[in-house]
């Protein structure tokens, strides 16, 4: 009986130790993702990067010129690499980014998870803006949801901005079968959009300050710099992080 009791005690303490370690790891992971950003300077990228986020990406438009996507994908420093890219597709009701089609194809060929965004004007017909985007962007399985880039008010009231944005978002959801992502800054979101849009994934712009975005609203992507450097791109480029791991990023993508 004594030997059995000792074995049971050893087994009990082993289980407690394992559970304690698992709980500690879980808390550490949560703090790593939710806590204050831990920035480290990387001269190769030309910026300070929040290293307590594991998935990094960029967003680009015609202003980045001719991108060498293989070089973008191959660059890696201390396990920091470019895993995803948001690519400008359209603007307003007629404008289409001159480099979109090439970037869209080359990013996929290089193995970079891609997403497309539309620069929105509340002074333009939202249905025509939706048509402009749909005529250009063919989303495939593995692509990120469409993005509404909404950051200018053009002297429109919050009510007008909310109503027009809602139309575009609903058209995107009908067209692609996924809930779109909203890109903006905290001030614009809180002033012109607000709780009515809290069920949409948020990509928030917040840089030049050494902390994560201060908002009660949960965010999914954080654009933390607009002066980054990456192999394969001759100009400065916006840097982003994803709030989660690579598996969560793929889960967000179109099935």
């Amino acid at each position: 009986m004594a030997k059995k009791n000792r074995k049971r005690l050893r087994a009990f303490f082993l289980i407690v130790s394992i559970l304690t370690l698992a709980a500690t790891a879980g808390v550490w992971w949560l703090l790593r993702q939710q806590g204050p950003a831990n920035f480290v300077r990387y001269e190769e990228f030309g910026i300070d990067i929040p290293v307590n986020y594991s998935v990094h990406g960029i967003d680009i438009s015609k202003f980045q010129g001719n991108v060498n996507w293989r070089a973008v994908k191959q660059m890696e420093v201390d396990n920091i690499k470019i895993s995803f890219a948001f690519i400008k597709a359209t603007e307003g009701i007629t404008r289409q980014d001159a480099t979109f089609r090439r970037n869209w194809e080359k990013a996929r060929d290089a193995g970079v998870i891609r997403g497309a965004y539309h620069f929105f004007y509340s002074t333009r017909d939202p249905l025509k803006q939706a048509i402009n985007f749909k005529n250009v962007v063919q989303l495939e399985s593995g692509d990120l949801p469409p993005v509404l880039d909404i950051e200018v008010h053009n002297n429109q009231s919050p009510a007008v901005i909310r109503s027009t944005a809602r139309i575009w978002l609903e058209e995107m959801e009908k067209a692609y079968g996924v809930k779109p992502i909203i890109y903006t800054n905290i001030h614009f979101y809180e002033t012109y959009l607000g709780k009515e849009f809290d069920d949409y994934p948020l990509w928030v712009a917040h840089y030049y300050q050494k902390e994560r975005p201060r908002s009660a609203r949960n965010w999914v992507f954080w654009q933390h710099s607009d002066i980054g450097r990456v192999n394969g791109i001759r100009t400065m480029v916006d840097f982003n992080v994803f709030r989660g791991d690579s598996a969560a990023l793929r889960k967000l993508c179109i099935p």
Side-chain angles (χ1 to χ4, degrees):
M1 288 295 292
K3 289 184 178 180
K4 287 183 180 179
N5 287 336
R6 285 198 294 271
K7 287 181 180 179
R8 287 172 183 170
L9 282 172
R10 283 198 294 268
F12 172 77
F13 285 119
L14 178 62
I15 292 169
V16 169
S17 298
I18 292 171
L19 290 175
T20 302
L21 286 172
T24 302
V27 170
W28 177 87
W29 184 89
L30 183 62
L31 291 173
R32 186 173 184 267
Q33 298 298 322
Q34 305 284 345
N38 179 19
F39 281 88
V40 174
R41 178 75 181 182
Y42 285 94
E43 295 304 328
E44 297 91 337
F45 294 111
I47 57 172
D48 298 343
I49 292 180
V51 295
N52 51 328
Y53 295 92
S54 61
V55 182
H56 302 263
I58 57 175
D59 60 276
I60 67 165
S61 68
K62 65 182 180 181
F63 296 109
Q64 274 66 52
N66 191 10
V67 176
N68 181 338
W69 284 98
R70 294 289 180 188
V72 171
K73 177 65 174 177
Q74 290 169 3
M75 185 176 185
E76 183 172 347
V77 183
D78 288 346
N79 294 320
I80 296 174
K81 57 186 178 180
I82 303 304
S83 299
F84 67 88
F86 287 110
I87 303 168
K88 184 176 181 180
T90 51
E91 179 175 337
I93 61 176
T94 58
R95 296 179 188 174
Q96 301 171 354
D97 190 276
T99 61
F100 173 74
R101 292 191 185 279
R102 181 186 183 280
N103 283 327
W104 193 242
E105 294 174 2
K106 297 295 183 180
R108 177 198 59 199
D109 294 344
V112 176
I113 295 174
R114 60 187 186 173
Y117 72 90
H118 172 82
F119 193 92
F120 186 80
Y121 294 100
S122 57
T123 52
R124 306 286 193 273
D125 185 328
L127 286 174
K128 290 181 179 179
Q129 292 189 73
I131 291 170
N132 186 23
F133 187 86
K134 290 186 289 184
N135 284 343
V136 172
V137 181
Q138 302 298 319
L139 293 179
E140 302 174 358
S141 175
D143 292 334
L144 289 162
V147 177
L148 176 70
D149 179 344
I150 182 166
E151 52 186 293
V152 294
H153 57 74
N154 295 116
N155 296 317
Q156 300 301 299
S157 68
V160 169
I161 292 172
R162 286 195 296 269
S163 63
T164 54
R166 175 69 69 180
I167 291 170
W168 192 92
L169 291 165
E170 290 177 349
E171 286 298 310
M172 290 300 103
E173 191 162 359
K174 285 190 289 185
Y176 300 107
V178 294
K179 192 169 283 294
I181 297 166
I182 295 175
Y183 167 88
T184 192
N185 58 71
I186 296 294
H187 174 73
F188 192 96
Y189 188 89
E190 293 178 348
T191 304
Y192 296 101
L193 297 175
K195 294 185 180 298
E196 183 179 332
F197 294 85
D198 281 356
D199 56 335
Y200 287 93
L202 178 63
W203 171 20
V204 61
H206 176 85
Y207 30 82
Y208 306 136
Q209 294 177 318
K210 292 294 185 185
E211 69 272 352
R212 63 189 176 92
R214 292 179 177 175
S215 175
R217 168 70 159 88
N218 286 330
W219 51 269
V220 178
F221 294 95
W222 168 22
Q223 185 186 73
H224 61 84
S225 177
D226 62 348
I227 54 172
R229 295 280 183 181
V230 180
N231 291 350
I233 301 178
R234 291 190 294 269
T235 68
M236 292 184 292
V237 65
D238 298 337
F239 261 64
N240 305 270
V241 292
F242 172 68
R243 196 175 192 173
D245 59 14
S246 57
L249 179 65
R250 292 193 177 278
K251 188 175 180 180
L252 180 64
C253 294
I254 293 174

